[in-house]
Amino acid sequence: MTTHTRTEARPNARQEELWNGPIGRHWAEQQDRYDAMSGDLNDRLFAAARISGGARVLDIGCGAGTVTRIAARLAGPDGHAVGVDISAPLLERARARTATEAVTNVSYERGDAQTHDFPDGGFDVAISRGGVMFFADHAAAFGNVARALRPGGRLVFVCPQPASPDIEESRALGLLAGLLGAEGAAPSSDHTDARAAMASLSDPAHIRRSLAAYAEVAVTSLPVETYWGRDPSDAIDFLLSRTPGRVVPRVTRKALEDALSPYAGGRGVRMQARVWLVTAVRPS
Ligand SMILES: C[S@@+](CC[C@H](N)C(=O)[O-])C[C@H]1O[C@@H](n2cnc3c(N)ncnc32)[C@H](O)[C@@H]1O
């Protein structure tokens, strides 16, 4: 008889804990800000996904479902979109927004996309805006998604590139982390673990190895602009709100805002960044 340990049954238990804890709740509460931050990715993601009327779309790690609902609208009344996510607070938010926006051809399932029991060949397209990095075993997760795609079905996702000094966003966030670190505020283990997972799919060679079940794999560098707030003060309020109850001395606060002032303009605080756009096809 085979016995399964808790870890085997729930390979992503730590991420499940994080996305159902303060990090997931912060994403749910700040959905509009996180959407604005990643909004620049939407057009490029959907241009690559080429969703047409009648399509059956799977959104992996759908969060509050903004991208799922765009996909549902593109699929039209004869198609539908399903968002899968491990986070209860984010799915609650997704369902509330779906009701407000009266989108009727979308549904959400709570589950770990690495192990979730998707219908075999049930989808024409699988998409993700930054929801595919958090798997303990990327190859297993993308293999599970491949089974959910029909032969010839497409996988399209965006994920972060490695931090680099020649990327504006990396430099700015590095500076902010240094200022907070100097003040003695070490990041929590939750944030450290979430950040490590966020970066775990940034090596293009690893992306390609993880997509062994697919054909026509393409990994393209995409320059994007990320939005952080109306002005430096608003952006710092948002960044500090990720750690509930955190207060920094006035002098540190001023230094943090000064660090963001080079990126502030008429359209708010915006930074150049780079992501990978990945496309692949389930072989026929
Ligand atoms: C960076 S957020 C992106 C959310 C959403 N795609 C968006 O663009 O707003 C990552 C999402 O992946 C989800 N996630 C993490 N691990 C997961 C897993 N194993 N299966 C399904 N979803 C997962 C998180 O709960 C979170 O909603």
Side-chain angles (χ1 to χ4, degrees):
M1 190 181 85
T2 310
T3 54
H4 294 284
T5 65
R6 182 176 174 276
T7 313
E8 283 165 336
R10 292 172 55 222
N12 297 303
R14 174 64 176 142
Q15 291 301 316
E16 192 177 344
E17 180 183 23
L18 297 180
W19 289 100
N20 285 285
I23 289 180
R25 286 198 294 278
H26 190 261
W27 271 74
E29 284 155 15
Q30 297 280 343
Q31 183 207 344
D32 292 332
R33 178 71 56 109
Y34 282 113
D35 269 339
M37 189 183 284
S38 307
D40 203 23
L41 299 174
N42 297 356
D43 286 352
R44 299 297 294 271
L45 178 73
F46 283 106
R50 302 198 304 264
I51 294 168
S52 51
R56 302 163 301 162
V57 186
L58 174 65
D59 183 10
I60 309 156
C62 65
T66 301
V67 160
T68 329
R69 291 187 292 281
I70 298 172
R73 290 189 183 99
L74 291 170
D78 296 333
H80 67 262
V82 176
V84 64
D85 203 284
I86 209 165
S87 165
L90 276 158
L91 288 175
E92 191 182 326
R93 182 82 181 173
R95 291 188 175 108
R97 276 284 163 105
T98 300
T100 309
E101 295 176 18
V103 188
T104 52
N105 60 338
V106 66
S107 60
Y108 303 95
E109 292 174 17
R110 184 172 175 192
D112 177 348
Q114 183 175 324
T115 53
H116 194 62
D117 190 15
F118 296 114
D120 273 3
F123 297 96
D124 302 300
V125 191
I127 58 173
S128 183
R129 184 181 74 175
V132 289
M133 298 86 76
F134 307 92
F135 304 120
D137 185 335
H138 293 113
F142 288 124
N144 196 36
V145 171
R147 278 190 293 282
L149 285 169
R150 66 163 168 78
R154 296 157 51 71
L155 169 68
V156 180
F157 66 85
V158 288
C159 66
Q161 292 196 18
S164 156
D166 71 333
I167 299 178
E168 233 172 55
E169 187 186 81
S170 304
R171 282 202 305 277
L173 296 184
L175 190 52
L176 297 181
L179 289 165
L180 286 167
E183 182 240 323
S188 70
S189 62
D190 279 9
H191 283 103
T192 305
D193 290 354
R195 207 168 299 144
M198 188 83 80
S200 66
L201 196 62
S202 58
D203 172 7
H206 177 60
I207 295 175
R208 288 179 179 282
R209 276 194 304 274
S210 304
L211 294 173
Y214 294 79
E216 300 176 43
V217 176
V219 183
T220 309
S221 178
L222 206 62
V224 292
E225 195 178 62
T226 54
Y227 171 86
W228 292 84
R230 290 186 304 276
D231 51 38
S233 173
D234 181 47
I236 295 300
D237 280 344
F238 165 67
L239 287 164
L240 294 178
S241 74
R242 298 203 281 199
T243 309
R246 173 180 255 176
V247 182
V248 295
R250 191 186 293 263
V251 62
T252 306
R253 170 91 200 189
K254 168 90 172 62
L256 292 168
E257 291 184 15
D258 287 350
L260 290 187
S261 62
Y263 309 104
R267 295 167 53 244
V269 177
R270 290 176 181 272
M271 299 171 197
Q272 301 300 320
R274 285 202 295 260
V275 297
W276 297 121
L277 170 68
V278 181
T279 57
V281 174
R282 177 181 167 177
S284 296

